[in-house]
């Protein structure tokens, strides 16, 4: 169950992905890799210890593990799907996912969802269905894909020296649906805590609750300390 295998079955129509070629499972230059104190013995559960350790990153105010019993292999995490969005918890979400991957020698998939035509049609006249940071007042001319790529750029920058990561931009009717559908191909999903307001509704509004309830693997929810959102400059 590895979302980045060539035959993993997660190539969706309308999505684009890129990233470095797969390498070995050596440690990250930014986080120290697998040399973590108290590393579990072979066969011991690794998910909860890794999540507990990741909860200590400075940007995170709270980190919770949901659906731990869904893990097919509690003693292994080889791939992590990270929901990347514009909300206030976005930076902390990437930080926590990086720490989990460093502790488990896993690969990260930075995953951003932009709205399909159907999603935009469902939005009200004063709403932005994208959950993507765009200029107000130009909804008809908005390049959601370009804005999404900027968010993914910011997420990659935030990873620092961590090099076991890919990125994937997907078009879908809902972010929750895309994340839940792809969850089957990963060992863990990391999302930001729910946010309110128009911006972020598509990615982090009811999406978080839906992913917690419907994902096929454990879900880590990250709440930020309020000061470290991604900057998609």
């Amino acid at each position: 169950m590895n979302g980045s295998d060539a035959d993993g079955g997660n190539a969706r129509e309308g999505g684009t992905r890129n990233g470095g070629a797969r390498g070995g499972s050596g440690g990250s230059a930014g986080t120290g890799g697998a040399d973590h104190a108290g590393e579990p013995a072979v066969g011991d559960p690794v998910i909860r210890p890794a999540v507990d350790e990741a909860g200590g990153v400075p940007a995170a105010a709270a980190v919770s593990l949901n659906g731990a019993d869904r893990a097919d292999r509690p003693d292994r995490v080889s791939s992590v799907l990270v929901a990347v969005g514009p909300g206030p918890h976005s930076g902390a979400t990437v930080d926590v996912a990086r720490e989990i991957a460093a502790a488990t020698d896993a690969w990260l998939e930075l995953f951003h969802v932009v709205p399909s035509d159907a999603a935009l049609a469902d939005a009200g006249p004063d709403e932005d269905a994208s959950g993507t940071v765009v200029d107000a007042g130009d909804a008809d001319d908005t390049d959601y894909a370009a804005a999404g790529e900027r968010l993914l750029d910011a997420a990659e920058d935030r990873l620092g020296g961590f090099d076991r990561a890919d990125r994937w931009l997907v078009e879908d009717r809902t972010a929750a649906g895309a994340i839940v559908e792809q969850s089957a191909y990963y060992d863990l999903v990391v999302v930001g805590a729910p946010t309110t307001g128009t911006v972020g509704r598509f990615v982090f509004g009811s999406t978080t609750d839906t992913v917690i309830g419907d994902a096929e693997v454990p879900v880590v929810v990250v709440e930020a300390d309020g000061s470290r959102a991604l900057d998609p400059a």
Side-chain angles (χ1 to χ4, degrees), residues 62 87-90 93 191-196 200 203-205 208 220-224:
H89 308 295
S90 55
T93 299
V191 298
T195 61
T196 59
V203 174
F204 289 120
T208 300
V220 177
V221 178
V222 180
E223 180 179 349

Side-chain angles (χ1 to χ4, degrees), residues 96-118:
V96 167
R98 180 192 62 215
E99 290 300 312
I100 292 172
T104 59
D105 289 332
W107 277 83
L108 294 180
E109 187 90 71
L110 300 171
F111 189 75
H112 180 71
V113 185
V114 295
S116 64
D117 290 342

Side-chain angles (χ1 to χ4, degrees), residues 40-112:
V42 174
D44 285 350
V46 301
I47 295 176
R48 189 171 294 278
V51 172
D52 289 346
E53 181 176 347
V57 301
V63 177
S64 63
L65 175 63
N66 304 267
D69 58 345
R70 301 174 193 159
D72 183 54
R73 286 285 304 273
D75 62 336
R76 182 194 67 185
V77 176
S78 61
S79 57
V80 179
L81 184 68
V82 188
V84 176
H89 308 295
S90 55
T93 299
V94 173
D95 289 354
V96 167
R98 180 192 62 215
E99 290 300 312
I100 292 172
T104 59
D105 289 332
W107 277 83
L108 294 180
E109 187 90 71
L110 300 171
F111 189 75
H112 180 71

Side-chain angles (χ1 to χ4, degrees), residues 205-224:
S206 61
T207 294
T208 300
D209 292 336
T210 300
V211 172
I212 291 172
D214 296 345
E216 297 192 28
V217 296
V219 178
V220 177
V221 178
V222 180
E223 180 179 349

Side-chain angles (χ1 to χ4, degrees), residues 70-196:
R70 301 174 193 159
D72 183 54
R73 286 285 304 273
D75 62 336
R76 182 194 67 185
V77 176
S78 61
S79 57
V80 179
L81 184 68
V82 188
V84 176
H89 308 295
S90 55
T93 299
V94 173
D95 289 354
V96 167
R98 180 192 62 215
E99 290 300 312
I100 292 172
T104 59
D105 289 332
W107 277 83
L108 294 180
E109 187 90 71
L110 300 171
F111 189 75
H112 180 71
V113 185
V114 295
S116 64
D117 290 342
L120 293 171
D122 287 344
D126 298 322
E127 292 182 328
D128 172 10
S130 72
T132 298
V133 176
V134 297
D135 292 332
D138 292 323
D140 291 340
D141 298 324
T142 294
D143 188 341
Y144 293 111
E149 293 288 3
R150 289 194 295 271
L151 274 171
L152 290 172
D153 287 343
E156 281 191 325
D157 289 345
R158 194 167 181 107
L159 289 177
F162 190 89
D163 58 3
R164 295 192 306 274
D166 290 333
R167 54 190 281 170
W168 194 9
L169 184 74
V170 169
E171 179 182 284
D172 210 311
R173 189 183 185 96
T174 69
I179 295 167
V180 168
E181 181 176 341
Q182 293 307 311
S183 67
Y185 304 108
Y186 298 84
D187 298 309
L188 197 67
V189 172
V190 183
V191 298
T195 61
T196 59

